[in-house]
Amino acid sequence: MRLTVRLANFRALLLQALIVISVTTAARADSDDGIIRVKSAVPMTEAISRIKADIAGKGIKFFMEIDQSRLAADAGIKLRPSTLLVFGNPPLGTQFITSNPNAGLDWPVRLLLTQDDNGDVWAVWTDFGWIARRHNIRDRDAQFAMATKVVGSITSTITAR
């Protein structure tokens, strides 16, 4: 009986690890700059709408939307479409800050939607493993894995038409 329970727990942990690896592998950056980019299959406006709807559907707190290209235009500067979404789950995110107060520089989550010169839309965010290394946080592995899984799920809403 105990062996069966242990095997079931091991399989559950293995499955969770594989999910996290698959989400991060699909969105991994080519360099170690801590930036992850996912290409959107939908236009900017629809990408923003889908992501905001998914955030709300998950019960995650949405803090703000900053239209950086509009701010640039107001300053007389031309900027390709660029919108920053700020959101988070305080019970999860504040655990990083309790481990190292400087981690508050990277929380709540910031997700940038930007359009390149070819008209392609990208969702861009800072890799949570990189944030952990940046702030020398070694006691929140499960929480970083959960944050990675959640953002991967959120951005997956824009990868298909």
Side-chain angles (χ1 to χ4, degrees):
M1 180 68 142
R2 290 173 63 168
L3 181 58
T4 304
V5 171
R6 285 184 182 172
L7 285 173
N9 287 341
F10 176 74
R11 280 184 279 190
L13 284 171
L14 183 60
L15 180 60
Q16 183 180 18
L18 290 173
I19 290 169
V20 168
I21 289 168
S22 68
V23 167
T24 57
T25 302
R28 181 62 57 199
D30 292 333
S31 64
D32 192 27
D33 61 1
I35 303 297
I36 296 180
R37 294 169 29 106
V38 172
K39 188 174 180 180
S40 175
V42 298
M44 176 75 85
T45 304
E46 185 175 345
I48 292 169
S49 295
R50 285 187 186 189
I51 287 173
K52 287 174 72 175
D54 195 67
I55 289 168
K58 286 178 170 52
I60 296 171
K61 186 169 180 67
F62 185 80
F63 295 106
M64 72 176 73
E65 175 180 339
I66 303 169
D67 184 340
Q68 296 172 327
S69 48
R70 183 178 48 86
L71 293 172
D74 291 347
I77 301 168
K78 184 177 169 120
L79 179 66
R80 291 185 314 255
S82 180
T83 299
L84 184 67
L85 305 177
V86 182
F87 59 92
N89 177 352
L92 177 62
T94 55
Q95 291 186 47
F96 306 112
I97 300 168
T98 62
S99 182
N100 180 346
N102 293 340
L105 290 168
D106 293 301
W107 299 100
V109 176
R110 290 178 301 280
L111 179 68
L112 178 66
L113 288 151
T114 188
Q115 186 172 327
D116 65 19
D117 288 334
N118 299 322
D120 293 326
V121 175
W122 296 87
V124 184
W125 70 94
T126 305
D127 175 57
F128 299 120
W130 188 88
I131 292 171
R133 290 187 301 278
R134 176 182 186 196
H135 297 292
N136 197 28
I137 299 174
R138 297 185 179 147
D139 59 346
R140 302 289 192 268
D141 291 345
Q143 293 85 354
F144 277 111
M146 177 57 73
T148 297
K149 181 180 172 185
V150 170
V151 171
S153 173
I154 290 168
T155 57
S156 73
T157 64
I158 65 169
T159 59
R161 288 224 171 254

mmCIF file of all heavy atoms in Angstrom, residues 115-144:
data_model
loop_
_atom_site.group_PDB
_atom_site.id
_atom_site.type_symbol
_atom_site.label_atom_id
_atom_site.label_comp_id
_atom_site.label_asym_id
_atom_site.label_seq_id
_atom_site.Cartn_x
_atom_site.Cartn_y
_atom_site.Cartn_z
ATOM 1 N N GLN A 115 4.899 44.459 -31.237
ATOM 2 C CA GLN A 115 4.831 44.092 -32.649
ATOM 3 C C GLN A 115 6.153 44.442 -33.307
ATOM 4 O O GLN A 115 6.660 45.564 -33.130
ATOM 5 C CB GLN A 115 3.681 44.839 -33.322
ATOM 6 C CG GLN A 115 3.432 44.419 -34.744
ATOM 7 C CD GLN A 115 2.166 45.059 -35.294
ATOM 8 O OE1 GLN A 115 1.205 45.283 -34.569
ATOM 9 N NE2 GLN A 115 2.184 45.366 -36.570
ATOM 10 N N ASP A 116 6.717 43.504 -34.054
ATOM 11 C CA ASP A 116 8.005 43.764 -34.693
ATOM 12 C C ASP A 116 7.822 44.413 -36.070
ATOM 13 O O ASP A 116 6.695 44.669 -36.502
ATOM 14 C CB ASP A 116 8.856 42.488 -34.760
ATOM 15 C CG ASP A 116 8.273 41.397 -35.646
ATOM 16 O OD1 ASP A 116 7.414 41.689 -36.510
ATOM 17 O OD2 ASP A 116 8.692 40.234 -35.475
ATOM 18 N N ASP A 117 8.934 44.663 -36.753
ATOM 19 C CA ASP A 117 8.911 45.322 -38.061
ATOM 20 C C ASP A 117 8.147 44.525 -39.122
ATOM 21 O O ASP A 117 7.666 45.086 -40.094
ATOM 22 C CB ASP A 117 10.341 45.575 -38.565
ATOM 23 C CG ASP A 117 11.037 46.675 -37.797
ATOM 24 O OD1 ASP A 117 10.344 47.563 -37.243
ATOM 25 O OD2 ASP A 117 12.284 46.655 -37.736
ATOM 26 N N ASN A 118 8.043 43.207 -38.928
ATOM 27 C CA ASN A 118 7.325 42.349 -39.879
ATOM 28 C C ASN A 118 5.832 42.276 -39.583
ATOM 29 O O ASN A 118 5.096 41.605 -40.306
ATOM 30 C CB ASN A 118 7.907 40.930 -39.867
ATOM 31 C CG ASN A 118 9.352 40.895 -40.275
ATOM 32 O OD1 ASN A 118 9.765 41.625 -41.175
ATOM 33 N ND2 ASN A 118 10.129 40.058 -39.617
ATOM 34 N N GLY A 119 5.402 42.922 -38.500
ATOM 35 C CA GLY A 119 4.002 42.879 -38.113
ATOM 36 C C GLY A 119 3.664 41.719 -37.195
ATOM 37 O O GLY A 119 2.508 41.555 -36.795
ATOM 38 N N ASP A 120 4.666 40.908 -36.841
ATOM 39 C CA ASP A 120 4.430 39.799 -35.917
ATOM 40 C C ASP A 120 4.289 40.326 -34.494
ATOM 41 O O ASP A 120 5.003 41.248 -34.085
ATOM 42 C CB ASP A 120 5.591 38.794 -35.970
ATOM 43 C CG ASP A 120 5.675 38.070 -37.303
ATOM 44 O OD1 ASP A 120 4.616 37.800 -37.907
ATOM 45 O OD2 ASP A 120 6.810 37.767 -37.736
ATOM 46 N N VAL A 121 3.366 39.729 -33.756
ATOM 47 C CA VAL A 121 3.108 40.119 -32.364
ATOM 48 C C VAL A 121 3.771 39.095 -31.454
ATOM 49 O O VAL A 121 3.691 37.885 -31.700
ATOM 50 C CB VAL A 121 1.592 40.203 -32.086
ATOM 51 C CG1 VAL A 121 1.311 40.485 -30.618
ATOM 52 C CG2 VAL A 121 0.963 41.275 -32.975
ATOM 53 N N TRP A 122 4.406 39.589 -30.416
ATOM 54 C CA TRP A 122 5.134 38.738 -29.471
ATOM 55 C C TRP A 122 4.691 39.036 -28.045
ATOM 56 O O TRP A 122 4.494 40.192 -27.688
ATOM 57 C CB TRP A 122 6.633 38.990 -29.585
ATOM 58 C CG TRP A 122 7.193 38.615 -30.913
ATOM 59 C CD1 TRP A 122 7.256 39.407 -32.034
ATOM 60 C CD2 TRP A 122 7.736 37.356 -31.280
ATOM 61 N NE1 TRP A 122 7.811 38.710 -33.066
ATOM 62 C CE2 TRP A 122 8.126 37.447 -32.644
ATOM 63 C CE3 TRP A 122 7.952 36.167 -30.597
ATOM 64 C CZ2 TRP A 122 8.710 36.388 -33.318
ATOM 65 C CZ3 TRP A 122 8.530 35.111 -31.277
ATOM 66 C CH2 TRP A 122 8.905 35.225 -32.620
ATOM 67 N N ALA A 123 4.576 37.981 -27.249
ATOM 68 C CA ALA A 123 4.414 38.117 -25.800
ATOM 69 C C ALA A 123 5.803 37.898 -25.211
ATOM 70 O O ALA A 123 6.474 36.915 -25.530
ATOM 71 C CB ALA A 123 3.431 37.082 -25.266
ATOM 72 N N VAL A 124 6.232 38.825 -24.367
ATOM 73 C CA VAL A 124 7.596 38.796 -23.847
ATOM 74 C C VAL A 124 7.539 38.973 -22.329
ATOM 75 O O VAL A 124 6.816 39.844 -21.832
ATOM 76 C CB VAL A 124 8.439 39.941 -24.472
ATOM 77 C CG1 VAL A 124 9.880 39.864 -24.009
ATOM 78 C CG2 VAL A 124 8.336 39.937 -25.988
ATOM 79 N N TRP A 125 8.307 38.156 -21.602
ATOM 80 C CA TRP A 125 8.375 38.304 -20.152
ATOM 81 C C TRP A 125 9.725 37.816 -19.653
ATOM 82 O O TRP A 125 10.491 37.215 -20.386
ATOM 83 C CB TRP A 125 7.229 37.576 -19.453
ATOM 84 C CG TRP A 125 7.276 36.074 -19.488
ATOM 85 C CD1 TRP A 125 7.805 35.250 -18.539
ATOM 86 C CD2 TRP A 125 6.774 35.215 -20.521
ATOM 87 N NE1 TRP A 125 7.660 33.939 -18.914
ATOM 88 C CE2 TRP A 125 7.030 33.884 -20.126
ATOM 89 C CE3 TRP A 125 6.135 35.436 -21.734
ATOM 90 C CZ2 TRP A 125 6.672 32.793 -20.899
ATOM 91 C CZ3 TRP A 125 5.775 34.346 -22.504
ATOM 92 C CH2 TRP A 125 6.032 33.048 -22.088
ATOM 93 N N THR A 126 10.001 38.100 -18.400
ATOM 94 C CA THR A 126 11.255 37.683 -17.783
ATOM 95 C C THR A 126 11.108 36.266 -17.249
ATOM 96 O O THR A 126 10.163 35.962 -16.526
ATOM 97 C CB THR A 126 11.643 38.636 -16.634
ATOM 98 O OG1 THR A 126 11.681 39.980 -17.135
ATOM 99 C CG2 THR A 126 13.006 38.285 -16.071
ATOM 100 N N ASP A 127 12.047 35.407 -17.613
ATOM 101 C CA ASP A 127 12.071 34.023 -17.165
ATOM 102 C C ASP A 127 12.155 33.966 -15.641
ATOM 103 O O ASP A 127 12.986 34.637 -15.027
ATOM 104 C CB ASP A 127 13.279 33.322 -17.797
ATOM 105 C CG ASP A 127 13.469 31.923 -17.296
ATOM 106 O OD1 ASP A 127 12.527 31.119 -17.416
ATOM 107 O OD2 ASP A 127 14.571 31.626 -16.782
ATOM 108 N N PHE A 128 11.277 33.189 -15.034
ATOM 109 C CA PHE A 128 11.233 33.134 -13.572
ATOM 110 C C PHE A 128 12.463 32.459 -12.977
ATOM 111 O O PHE A 128 12.900 32.821 -11.888
ATOM 112 C CB PHE A 128 9.941 32.469 -13.099
ATOM 113 C CG PHE A 128 8.724 33.227 -13.538
ATOM 114 C CD1 PHE A 128 7.770 32.636 -14.338
ATOM 115 C CD2 PHE A 128 8.541 34.549 -13.176
ATOM 116 C CE1 PHE A 128 6.655 33.337 -14.768
ATOM 117 C CE2 PHE A 128 7.434 35.267 -13.595
ATOM 118 C CZ PHE A 128 6.491 34.660 -14.392
ATOM 119 N N GLY A 129 13.058 31.514 -13.691
ATOM 120 C CA GLY A 129 14.318 30.926 -13.222
ATOM 121 C C GLY A 129 15.426 31.962 -13.205
ATOM 122 O O GLY A 129 16.266 31.995 -12.299
ATOM 123 N N TRP A 130 15.414 32.839 -14.203
ATOM 124 C CA TRP A 130 16.398 33.923 -14.268
ATOM 125 C C TRP A 130 16.185 34.880 -13.093
ATOM 126 O O TRP A 130 17.142 35.336 -12.479
ATOM 127 C CB TRP A 130 16.257 34.644 -15.610
ATOM 128 C CG TRP A 130 17.310 35.658 -15.889
ATOM 129 C CD1 TRP A 130 18.520 35.460 -16.482
ATOM 130 C CD2 TRP A 130 17.247 37.063 -15.592
ATOM 131 N NE1 TRP A 130 19.202 36.637 -16.586
ATOM 132 C CE2 TRP A 130 18.443 37.651 -16.035
ATOM 133 C CE3 TRP A 130 16.283 37.876 -14.993
ATOM 134 C CZ2 TRP A 130 18.705 38.999 -15.899
ATOM 135 C CZ3 TRP A 130 16.545 39.224 -14.864
ATOM 136 C CH2 TRP A 130 17.754 39.772 -15.314
ATOM 137 N N ILE A 131 14.912 35.170 -12.789
ATOM 138 C CA ILE A 131 14.603 36.043 -11.643
ATOM 139 C C ILE A 131 15.117 35.400 -10.355
ATOM 140 O O ILE A 131 15.699 36.081 -9.503
ATOM 141 C CB ILE A 131 13.089 36.333 -11.559
ATOM 142 C CG1 ILE A 131 12.655 37.214 -12.739
ATOM 143 C CG2 ILE A 131 12.728 36.995 -10.228
ATOM 144 C CD1 ILE A 131 11.148 37.382 -12.863
ATOM 145 N N ALA A 132 14.907 34.099 -10.210
ATOM 146 C CA ALA A 132 15.384 33.396 -9.012
ATOM 147 C C ALA A 132 16.904 33.539 -8.881
ATOM 148 O O ALA A 132 17.415 33.837 -7.791
ATOM 149 C CB ALA A 132 14.991 31.922 -9.071
ATOM 150 N N ARG A 133 17.607 33.351 -9.997
ATOM 151 C CA ARG A 133 19.073 33.490 -9.958
ATOM 152 C C ARG A 133 19.474 34.937 -9.693
ATOM 153 O O ARG A 133 20.405 35.203 -8.926
ATOM 154 C CB ARG A 133 19.682 32.994 -11.265
ATOM 155 C CG ARG A 133 19.598 31.486 -11.431
ATOM 156 C CD ARG A 133 20.352 30.973 -12.655
ATOM 157 N NE ARG A 133 19.907 31.537 -13.921
ATOM 158 C CZ ARG A 133 18.855 31.120 -14.614
ATOM 159 N NH1 ARG A 133 18.107 30.141 -14.161
ATOM 160 N NH2 ARG A 133 18.542 31.690 -15.769
ATOM 161 N N ARG A 134 18.765 35.874 -10.314
ATOM 162 C CA ARG A 134 19.078 37.298 -10.144
ATOM 163 C C ARG A 134 19.026 37.706 -8.678
ATOM 164 O O ARG A 134 19.867 38.464 -8.204
ATOM 165 C CB ARG A 134 18.094 38.138 -10.955
ATOM 166 C CG ARG A 134 18.271 39.627 -10.766
ATOM 167 C CD ARG A 134 17.236 40.418 -11.542
ATOM 168 N NE ARG A 134 17.538 41.825 -11.452
ATOM 169 C CZ ARG A 134 16.693 42.771 -11.752
ATOM 170 N NH1 ARG A 134 15.496 42.494 -12.192
ATOM 171 N NH2 ARG A 134 17.048 44.040 -11.646
ATOM 172 N N HIS A 135 18.022 37.180 -7.975
ATOM 173 C CA HIS A 135 17.823 37.571 -6.574
ATOM 174 C C HIS A 135 18.309 36.508 -5.586
ATOM 175 O O HIS A 135 18.049 36.619 -4.393
ATOM 176 C CB HIS A 135 16.337 37.877 -6.336
ATOM 177 C CG HIS A 135 15.853 39.035 -7.157
ATOM 178 N ND1 HIS A 135 16.263 40.328 -6.954
ATOM 179 C CD2 HIS A 135 15.012 39.077 -8.226
ATOM 180 C CE1 HIS A 135 15.681 41.127 -7.836
ATOM 181 N NE2 HIS A 135 14.922 40.390 -8.620
ATOM 182 N N ASN A 136 19.039 35.524 -6.114
ATOM 183 C CA ASN A 136 19.609 34.468 -5.283
ATOM 184 C C ASN A 136 18.539 33.807 -4.388
ATOM 185 O O ASN A 136 18.757 33.582 -3.204
ATOM 186 C CB ASN A 136 20.775 35.007 -4.450
ATOM 187 C CG ASN A 136 21.641 33.897 -3.908
ATOM 188 O OD1 ASN A 136 21.733 32.817 -4.508
ATOM 189 N ND2 ASN A 136 22.270 34.139 -2.778
ATOM 190 N N ILE A 137 17.390 33.527 -4.990
ATOM 191 C CA ILE A 137 16.301 32.878 -4.262
ATOM 192 C C ILE A 137 16.396 31.386 -4.516
ATOM 193 O O ILE A 137 16.243 30.928 -5.644
ATOM 194 C CB ILE A 137 14.923 33.420 -4.701
ATOM 195 C CG1 ILE A 137 14.842 34.918 -4.400
ATOM 196 C CG2 ILE A 137 13.798 32.660 -4.005
ATOM 197 C CD1 ILE A 137 13.585 35.589 -4.927
ATOM 198 N N ARG A 138 16.643 30.651 -3.453
ATOM 199 C CA ARG A 138 16.840 29.207 -3.584
ATOM 200 C C ARG A 138 15.818 28.401 -2.799
ATOM 201 O O ARG A 138 15.882 27.176 -2.788
ATOM 202 C CB ARG A 138 18.240 28.840 -3.111
ATOM 203 C CG ARG A 138 19.313 29.484 -3.961
ATOM 204 C CD ARG A 138 20.687 29.033 -3.567
ATOM 205 N NE ARG A 138 21.669 29.660 -4.431
ATOM 206 C CZ ARG A 138 22.863 29.995 -4.041
ATOM 207 N NH1 ARG A 138 23.247 29.761 -2.811
ATOM 208 N NH2 ARG A 138 23.695 30.553 -4.893
ATOM 209 N N ASP A 139 14.891 29.079 -2.157
ATOM 210 C CA ASP A 139 13.939 28.369 -1.296
ATOM 211 C C ASP A 139 12.500 28.472 -1.788
ATOM 212 O O ASP A 139 11.565 28.273 -1.023
ATOM 213 C CB ASP A 139 14.043 28.895 0.135
ATOM 214 C CG ASP A 139 13.765 30.386 0.235
ATOM 215 O OD1 ASP A 139 13.744 31.079 -0.797
ATOM 216 O OD2 ASP A 139 13.563 30.865 1.379
ATOM 217 N N ARG A 140 12.304 28.748 -3.062
ATOM 218 C CA ARG A 140 10.951 28.891 -3.599
ATOM 219 C C ARG A 140 10.795 28.167 -4.950
ATOM 220 O O ARG A 140 10.073 28.616 -5.828
ATOM 221 C CB ARG A 140 10.587 30.378 -3.783
ATOM 222 C CG ARG A 140 10.659 31.253 -2.538
ATOM 223 C CD ARG A 140 9.537 30.911 -1.573
ATOM 224 N NE ARG A 140 9.394 31.899 -0.518
ATOM 225 C CZ ARG A 140 9.988 31.844 0.660
ATOM 226 N NH1 ARG A 140 10.790 30.847 0.949
ATOM 227 N NH2 ARG A 140 9.783 32.779 1.569
ATOM 228 N N ASP A 141 11.457 27.033 -5.109
ATOM 229 C CA ASP A 141 11.422 26.321 -6.395
ATOM 230 C C ASP A 141 10.001 25.975 -6.836
ATOM 231 O O ASP A 141 9.649 26.161 -8.000
ATOM 232 C CB ASP A 141 12.261 25.037 -6.326
ATOM 233 C CG ASP A 141 13.750 25.321 -6.220
ATOM 234 O OD1 ASP A 141 14.168 26.471 -6.491
ATOM 235 O OD2 ASP A 141 14.492 24.397 -5.858
ATOM 236 N N ALA A 142 9.193 25.479 -5.930
ATOM 237 C CA ALA A 142 7.816 25.099 -6.285
ATOM 238 C C ALA A 142 7.016 26.327 -6.725
ATOM 239 O O ALA A 142 6.229 26.256 -7.675
ATOM 240 C CB ALA A 142 7.132 24.408 -5.114
ATOM 241 N N GLN A 143 7.227 27.443 -6.068
ATOM 242 C CA GLN A 143 6.502 28.665 -6.417
ATOM 243 C C GLN A 143 6.952 29.200 -7.780
ATOM 244 O O GLN A 143 6.129 29.652 -8.574
ATOM 245 C CB GLN A 143 6.696 29.728 -5.325
ATOM 246 C CG GLN A 143 6.053 29.371 -4.010
ATOM 247 C CD GLN A 143 6.918 28.503 -3.107
ATOM 248 O OE1 GLN A 143 7.990 28.037 -3.473
ATOM 249 N NE2 GLN A 143 6.434 28.270 -1.896
ATOM 250 N N PHE A 144 8.257 29.145 -8.063
ATOM 251 C CA PHE A 144 8.736 29.578 -9.381
ATOM 252 C C PHE A 144 8.202 28.654 -10.470
ATOM 253 O O PHE A 144 7.830 29.116 -11.549
ATOM 254 C CB PHE A 144 10.270 29.635 -9.422
ATOM 255 C CG PHE A 144 10.833 30.911 -8.857
ATOM 256 C CD1 PHE A 144 11.537 30.913 -7.670
ATOM 257 C CD2 PHE A 144 10.662 32.117 -9.522
ATOM 258 C CE1 PHE A 144 12.063 32.091 -7.148
ATOM 259 C CE2 PHE A 144 11.179 33.302 -9.009
ATOM 260 C CZ PHE A 144 11.874 33.285 -7.817
#
